Amino acid sequence: MKFRSIALAGALALCAAQAQAQDLTVGVTTTGVPFTFVDTGTQAPTGAMVDLAAAIAEDLEMTPNFAVTQFSALIPALQTSKIDVISAGMFATDKRKEVVDFSSPVYSYGDAAFVAADDEGTYQIEDFAGEVIGAQIGTTFADQLQARGIFEEVKLYDSLVDIMRDVQLGRIKAGFGDKPIIAYQIAQNPNLGVKLVEGYTPMGIGEVALAVSKDNPELLDKVNAAIAEMEQSGELAEIFGKYGL
């Protein structure tokens, strides 16, 4: 009986130690290249925000458990405690701040302009006045460009790849889209025949941050502390730099 008591005590101690190493359930999406997406080789979530969440979990001595979720369902999943944190390419907008708490910003970006790889010009948006340019249909960038009314035509495309093709072929002068996505695609495929316009000032800037439930301020404090430490050490920049950001 004494042996069994000792064995039971040991088992309980092991369970307690395992319980302390809690899971951190992280909501991610599959369509936020290069922030969050699924690696076609491993079928596992990957991307800058996935790496960041894993690093934060390690700092908190927790185990990251990634829950692939549709973007529109991320905040409801957080509110219903299905996930502990959102780590995706999500802007910390005023409307979202009404229902969730955001961490310190981890990345900021806006739109980018790209031209043919052999175009040596330096441009701001006004320099494309009178030109035919391209943007993806349904994006805020397309609406903003059309509202300016200074271009010969704002040609709308179904995909960024199609815009890049027409820029490379000289059918349009320039294309516009999400800077991180464009930068990542160019970095992954230098033979696309296009390049980012250096020094271009975007039409607007959004800040990407992690989100936690308003009922969990303790976790928010821990996440912010981890982000601050990684920012100071340079690890934050290294994580995003890995994906061309």
Side-chain angles (χ1 to χ4, degrees), residues 9-164:
L12 290 173
L14 178 61
C15 289
Q18 290 175 337
Q20 290 178 354
Q22 297 175 342
D23 282 351
L24 182 70
T25 305
V26 183
V28 299
T29 67
T30 61
T31 57
V33 179
F35 293 104
T36 54
F37 58 103
V38 172
D39 187 292
T40 55
T42 64
Q43 296 303 308
T46 189
M49 296 300 288
V50 174
D51 289 0
L52 176 59
I56 290 173
E58 182 180 356
D59 189 75
L60 302 183
E61 297 183 348
M62 302 177 76
T63 302
N65 176 29
F66 294 101
V68 177
T69 308
Q70 289 185 347
F71 190 86
S72 60
L74 284 170
I75 288 179
L78 187 62
Q79 292 176 308
T80 55
S81 300
K82 292 179 181 177
I83 59 176
D84 300 311
V85 61
I86 297 170
S87 188
M90 180 177 283
F91 284 147
T93 64
D94 290 338
K95 185 175 182 180
R96 290 170 180 155
K97 288 177 182 178
E98 294 176 1
V99 292
V100 299
D101 284 337
F102 283 98
S103 71
S104 304
V106 296
Y107 193 78
S108 300
Y109 78 87
D111 55 291
F114 57 94
V115 295
D118 59 358
D119 188 332
E120 299 298 330
T122 57
Y123 303 100
Q124 294 299 328
I125 194 165
E126 295 80 7
D127 297 320
F128 294 112
E131 301 283 359
V132 179
I133 61 172
Q136 195 169 354
I137 191 169
T139 63
T140 57
F141 305 136
D143 296 336
Q144 290 171 324
L145 291 166
Q146 289 177 321
R148 288 181 177 263
I150 63 173
F151 310 105
E152 179 180 336
E153 180 186 358
V154 179
K155 194 171 181 180
L156 301 180
Y157 293 81
D158 290 326
S159 73
L160 189 60
V161 173
D162 292 336
I163 306 175
M164 289 182 171

Side-chain angles (χ1 to χ4, degrees), residues 164-212:
M164 289 182 171
R165 178 202 62 221
D166 276 7
V167 169
Q168 190 270 331
L169 293 175
R171 294 171 179 168
I172 61 176
K173 179 64 175 179
F176 293 80
D178 295 273
K179 184 174 182 178
I181 297 175
I182 296 168
Y184 183 80
Q185 292 199 19
I186 292 175
Q188 293 298 305
N189 187 359
N191 296 321
L192 285 172
V194 298
K195 66 179 181 182
L196 287 170
V197 175
E198 296 293 335
Y200 167 81
T201 302
M203 293 179 283
I205 297 291
E207 292 183 328
V208 175
L210 287 78
V212 301

